[in-house]
Amino acid sequence: DAGVIQSPRHEVTEMGQEVTLRCKPISGHDYLFWYRQTMMRGLELLIYFNNNVPIDDSGMPEDRFSAKMPNASFSTLKIQPSEPRDSAVYFCASSVGPELHFGDGTRLSIL
Amino acid sequence: AQSVTQLDSQVPVFEEAPVELRCNYSSSVSVYLFWYVQYPNQGLQLLLKYLSGSTLVESINGFEAEFNKSQTSFHLRKPSVHISDTAEYFCAVGDQAGTALIFGKGTTLSVSS
Protein backbone atom coordinates (compact mmCIF):
# COMPACT_ATOMS: atom_id res chain seq x y z
CA ASP A 1 0.00 0.00 0.00
CA ALA A 2 1.23 3.49 -0.76
CA GLY A 3 2.04 5.51 2.31
CA VAL A 4 2.11 9.27 2.73
CA ILE A 5 4.13 10.75 -0.11
CA GLN A 6 6.05 13.99 0.29
CA SER A 7 7.99 15.95 -2.27
CA PRO A 8 10.64 17.08 -2.66
CA ARG A 9 12.75 15.00 -0.27
CA HIS A 10 15.40 17.70 -0.13
CA GLU A 11 15.23 21.40 -0.93
CA VAL A 12 18.06 23.89 -0.78
CA THR A 13 17.30 27.48 -1.62
CA GLU A 14 18.40 31.01 -0.83
CA MET A 15 16.67 33.18 1.68
CA GLY A 16 13.87 35.27 0.27
CA GLN A 17 12.77 32.59 -2.17
CA GLU A 18 9.35 30.96 -2.11
CA VAL A 19 9.31 27.33 -1.01
CA THR A 20 6.46 24.89 -1.65
CA LEU A 21 6.29 21.52 0.04
CA ARG A 22 3.83 18.91 -1.18
CA CYS A 23 2.01 16.02 0.41
CA LYS A 24 -0.22 13.22 -0.80
CA PRO A 25 -2.02 11.53 2.12
CA ILE A 26 -3.06 7.90 2.27
CA SER A 27 -6.26 7.35 0.34
CA GLY A 28 -9.29 7.33 2.62
CA HIS A 29 -7.63 9.25 5.43
CA ASP A 30 -9.66 12.30 6.41
CA TYR A 31 -7.10 14.07 8.61
CA LEU A 32 -3.86 15.63 7.41
CA PHE A 33 -1.16 17.13 9.60
CA TRP A 34 1.97 19.21 8.98
CA TYR A 35 4.77 18.98 11.56
CA ARG A 36 8.21 20.59 11.67
CA GLN A 37 11.22 18.91 13.29
CA THR A 38 14.30 20.77 14.53
CA MET A 39 17.01 19.85 17.00
CA MET A 40 16.10 22.70 19.31
CA ARG A 41 12.31 22.43 19.35
CA GLY A 42 11.66 18.79 18.45
CA LEU A 43 8.42 17.97 16.60
CA GLU A 44 6.04 20.90 16.38
CA LEU A 45 2.53 20.76 14.98
CA LEU A 46 2.05 23.51 12.40
CA ILE A 47 -1.48 22.92 11.13
CA TYR A 48 -3.99 20.17 10.57
CA PHE A 49 -6.98 19.60 8.32
CA ASN A 50 -10.13 17.52 8.57
CA ASN A 51 -11.95 16.77 5.31
CA ASN A 52 -9.81 19.43 3.60
CA VAL A 53 -10.79 22.14 6.10
CA PRO A 54 -8.12 23.70 8.36
CA ILE A 55 -8.99 22.94 11.98
CA ASP A 56 -6.07 24.37 13.93
CA ASP A 57 -3.34 26.59 12.49
CA SER A 58 -2.14 28.01 15.79
CA GLY A 59 1.25 26.39 15.30
CA MET A 60 2.01 28.22 12.07
CA PRO A 61 4.92 30.43 13.10
CA GLU A 62 4.24 33.54 11.04
CA ASP A 63 2.27 34.96 8.15
CA ARG A 64 5.09 33.83 5.89
CA PHE A 65 3.72 30.30 6.28
CA SER A 66 0.54 29.14 4.58
CA ALA A 67 -1.04 25.75 3.96
CA LYS A 68 -3.78 24.56 1.67
CA MET A 69 -5.65 21.38 0.98
CA PRO A 70 -7.57 21.83 -2.27
CA ASN A 71 -8.77 18.20 -2.33
CA ALA A 72 -8.58 14.99 -0.34
CA SER A 73 -5.42 13.79 -2.05
CA PHE A 74 -3.16 16.83 -1.98
CA SER A 75 -1.84 19.47 0.40
CA THR A 76 0.84 22.15 0.18
CA LEU A 77 2.84 24.07 2.75
CA LYS A 78 4.25 27.31 1.42
CA ILE A 79 6.87 29.62 2.90
CA GLN A 80 7.20 33.08 1.34
CA PRO A 81 9.68 34.64 1.82
CA SER A 82 11.91 31.95 3.30
CA GLU A 83 14.49 32.66 6.01
CA PRO A 84 17.46 30.61 7.31
CA ARG A 85 15.60 29.88 10.58
CA ASP A 86 13.00 27.97 8.56
CA SER A 87 15.59 25.26 7.92
CA ALA A 88 14.15 22.02 9.31
CA VAL A 89 12.61 18.71 8.33
CA TYR A 90 8.93 19.11 7.50
CA PHE A 91 6.68 16.08 7.91
CA CYS A 92 3.25 15.43 6.61
CA ALA A 93 1.05 12.81 8.31
CA SER A 94 -2.44 11.50 7.70
CA SER A 95 -4.93 9.51 9.73
CA VAL A 96 -8.40 8.02 9.82
CA GLY A 97 -8.25 7.19 13.54
CA PRO A 98 -5.95 7.96 16.48
CA GLU A 99 -2.79 6.67 14.78
CA LEU A 100 -0.83 9.02 12.53
CA HIS A 101 0.99 7.77 9.44
CA PHE A 102 4.02 9.85 8.51
CA GLY A 103 5.75 10.57 5.24
CA ASP A 104 9.53 10.51 4.95
CA GLY A 105 9.74 14.28 5.26
CA THR A 106 11.24 17.16 3.31
CA ARG A 107 14.64 18.36 4.50
CA LEU A 108 14.66 22.10 3.88
CA SER A 109 17.81 24.19 3.97
CA ILE A 110 17.59 27.94 3.54
CA LEU A 111 20.96 29.56 2.82
CA ALA B 1 -3.41 21.38 27.58
CA GLN B 2 -1.58 18.16 27.00
CA SER B 3 2.16 17.70 27.26
CA VAL B 4 4.71 14.91 27.08
CA THR B 5 8.03 14.68 28.89
CA GLN B 6 10.68 12.22 27.86
CA LEU B 7 13.03 12.16 30.78
CA ASP B 8 16.18 11.06 28.96
CA SER B 9 17.48 12.71 25.81
CA GLN B 10 20.12 10.01 25.22
CA VAL B 11 20.36 6.41 26.41
CA PRO B 12 23.53 4.48 25.55
CA VAL B 13 23.43 0.72 26.16
CA PHE B 14 25.35 -2.38 25.19
CA GLU B 15 23.88 -5.03 22.94
CA GLU B 16 21.73 -7.63 24.73
CA ALA B 17 21.27 -5.36 27.76
CA PRO B 18 17.78 -4.34 28.92
CA VAL B 19 16.58 -0.80 28.33
CA GLU B 20 13.83 1.50 29.56
CA LEU B 21 12.89 4.78 27.90
CA ARG B 22 10.80 6.93 30.17
CA CYS B 23 7.74 8.95 29.22
CA ASN B 24 5.38 10.99 31.37
CA TYR B 25 2.36 12.85 30.12
CA SER B 26 -0.03 15.49 31.32
CA SER B 27 -3.67 15.54 30.29
CA SER B 28 -7.01 16.41 31.83
CA VAL B 29 -8.95 13.87 29.78
CA SER B 30 -8.69 10.24 28.77
CA VAL B 31 -5.71 9.68 26.55
CA TYR B 32 -4.34 7.63 23.75
CA LEU B 33 -0.60 6.96 24.03
CA PHE B 34 1.93 6.07 21.38
CA TRP B 35 5.59 5.28 20.86
CA TYR B 36 7.05 6.07 17.44
CA VAL B 37 10.54 5.21 16.18
CA GLN B 38 12.58 7.24 13.71
CA TYR B 39 15.58 5.86 11.84
CA PRO B 40 18.02 8.28 10.16
CA ASN B 41 16.58 10.18 7.20
CA GLN B 42 13.20 8.53 7.59
CA GLY B 43 9.80 9.48 8.90
CA LEU B 44 8.28 8.32 12.16
CA GLN B 45 6.97 4.76 12.31
CA LEU B 46 4.46 3.53 14.86
CA LEU B 47 6.06 1.15 17.35
CA LEU B 48 3.11 0.52 19.67
CA LYS B 49 -0.02 2.18 20.98
CA TYR B 50 -2.41 2.21 23.91
CA LEU B 51 -6.00 3.09 23.06
CA SER B 52 -7.97 1.13 25.68
CA GLY B 53 -8.12 -2.25 27.37
CA SER B 54 -4.99 -3.99 28.60
CA THR B 55 -2.50 -1.52 30.01
CA LEU B 56 0.45 -3.59 28.74
CA VAL B 57 1.00 -3.31 25.01
CA GLU B 58 3.64 -5.03 22.91
CA SER B 59 5.32 -4.53 19.54
CA ILE B 60 6.29 -7.23 17.07
CA ASN B 61 10.01 -6.68 17.68
CA GLY B 62 10.09 -7.22 21.43
CA PHE B 63 9.33 -3.78 22.85
CA GLU B 64 6.57 -3.30 25.41
CA ALA B 65 5.05 -0.35 27.23
CA GLU B 66 2.74 -0.11 30.19
CA PHE B 67 0.11 2.56 30.70
CA ASN B 68 0.14 3.69 34.31
CA LYS B 69 -2.72 6.09 34.89
CA SER B 70 -1.87 6.91 38.52
CA GLN B 71 1.70 7.83 37.60
CA THR B 72 0.73 9.29 34.21
CA SER B 73 3.50 7.29 32.59
CA PHE B 74 3.97 5.15 29.49
CA HIS B 75 7.53 3.83 29.72
CA LEU B 76 9.00 1.75 26.91
CA ARG B 77 11.02 -1.36 27.72
CA LYS B 78 12.92 -4.10 25.96
CA PRO B 79 14.63 -6.95 27.82
CA SER B 80 17.48 -7.38 25.33
CA VAL B 81 18.38 -4.78 22.70
CA HIS B 82 20.05 -5.24 19.33
CA ILE B 83 22.33 -2.96 17.35
CA SER B 84 19.44 -2.47 14.94
CA ASP B 85 17.36 -0.84 17.70
CA THR B 86 19.59 2.24 17.49
CA ALA B 87 17.19 5.07 16.61
CA GLU B 88 15.26 8.04 17.97
CA TYR B 89 12.16 7.16 19.98
CA PHE B 90 9.24 9.51 20.47
CA CYS B 91 6.41 9.28 22.97
CA ALA B 92 3.13 10.95 21.96
CA VAL B 93 -0.27 11.65 23.51
CA GLY B 94 -3.64 12.28 21.92
CA ASP B 95 -7.10 12.66 23.41
CA GLN B 96 -9.47 11.54 20.70
CA ALA B 97 -9.42 10.09 17.24
CA GLY B 98 -8.24 12.51 14.62
CA THR B 99 -6.86 15.29 16.75
CA ALA B 100 -3.20 16.07 16.53
CA LEU B 101 -0.74 14.14 18.64
CA ILE B 102 1.59 15.99 20.97
CA PHE B 103 5.11 14.59 20.89
CA GLY B 104 7.91 14.51 23.42
CA LYS B 105 11.36 15.77 22.46
CA GLY B 106 12.61 12.27 21.74
CA THR B 107 15.15 9.87 23.23
CA THR B 108 18.15 8.72 21.23
CA LEU B 109 18.84 5.06 21.92
CA SER B 110 22.39 4.06 20.98
CA VAL B 111 23.20 0.36 21.12
CA SER B 112 26.85 -0.65 20.88
CA SER B 113 28.61 -4.00 20.82
Side-chain angles (χ1 to χ4, degrees):
Chain A
D1 291 340
V4 175
I5 299 172
Q6 292 187 245
S7 64
R9 287 296 314 276
H10 303 273
E11 175 90 12
V12 180
T13 192
E14 294 186 348
M15 65 177 294
Q17 298 297 307
E18 178 178 290
V19 173
T20 299
L21 311 182
R22 297 172 174 80
C23 175
K24 177 179 170 56
I26 294 172
S27 177
H29 284 194
D30 55 355
Y31 282 85
L32 183 140
F33 306 82
W34 284 100
Y35 284 86
R36 178 172 69 175
Q37 184 179 35
T38 61
M39 290 289 290
M40 292 296 294
R41 301 172 70 92
L43 268 165
E44 303 173 276
L45 175 69
L46 300 178
I47 185 171
Y48 75 96
F49 297 83
N50 178 219
N51 292 323
N52 314 336
V53 176
I55 302 301
D56 184 355
D57 66 354
S58 60
M60 297 285 263
E62 312 172 21
D63 291 345
R64 299 184 296 105
F65 285 69
S66 63
K68 293 182 179 179
M69 192 165 186
N71 57 61
S73 58
F74 184 65
S75 177
T76 60
L77 179 68
K78 194 168 289 188
I79 308 173
Q80 168 62 18
S82 58
E83 296 183 3
R85 58 195 168 118
D86 301 330
S87 297
V89 182
Y90 291 79
F91 287 103
C92 176
S94 68
S95 75
V96 69
E99 174 187 339
L100 268 59
H101 299 258
F102 283 82
D104 283 337
T106 295
R107 184 173 298 275
L108 178 63
S109 296
I110 308 296
L111 307 177
Chain B
Q2 295 175 319
S3 66
V4 177
T5 302
Q6 292 185 242
L7 297 158
D8 306 293
S9 60
Q10 297 193 29
V11 174
V13 294
F14 287 107
E15 194 173 20
E16 298 184 7
V19 71
E20 177 180 80
L21 307 184
R22 296 179 293 169
C23 172
N24 286 94
Y25 69 91
S26 173
S27 176
S28 59
V29 298
S30 297
V31 297
Y32 299 139
L33 292 159
F34 304 83
W35 277 98
Y36 281 81
V37 59
Q38 183 180 31
Y39 299 102
N41 300 315
Q42 294 186 25
L44 280 71
Q45 303 171 29
L46 181 69
L47 187 60
L48 46 77
K49 61 188 175 186
Y50 169 79
L51 302 181
S52 65
S54 173
T55 57
L56 183 66
V57 292
E58 299 177 352
S59 72
I60 58 173
N61 58 351
F63 284 94
E64 65 177 31
E66 186 160 20
F67 170 53
N68 188 318
K69 188 174 181 179
S70 63
Q71 297 188 5
T72 61
S73 67
F74 192 56
H75 301 332
L76 182 69
R77 301 184 182 93
K78 189 171 185 179
S80 176
V81 295
H82 303 290
I83 298 284
S84 59
D85 293 324
T86 295
E88 184 98 14
Y89 291 79
F90 293 91
C91 183
V93 63
D95 60 6
Q96 60 185 2
T99 57
L101 299 184
I102 304 301
F103 286 84
K105 297 254 176 172
T107 297
T108 301
L109 175 63
S110 299
V111 183
S112 57
S113 58

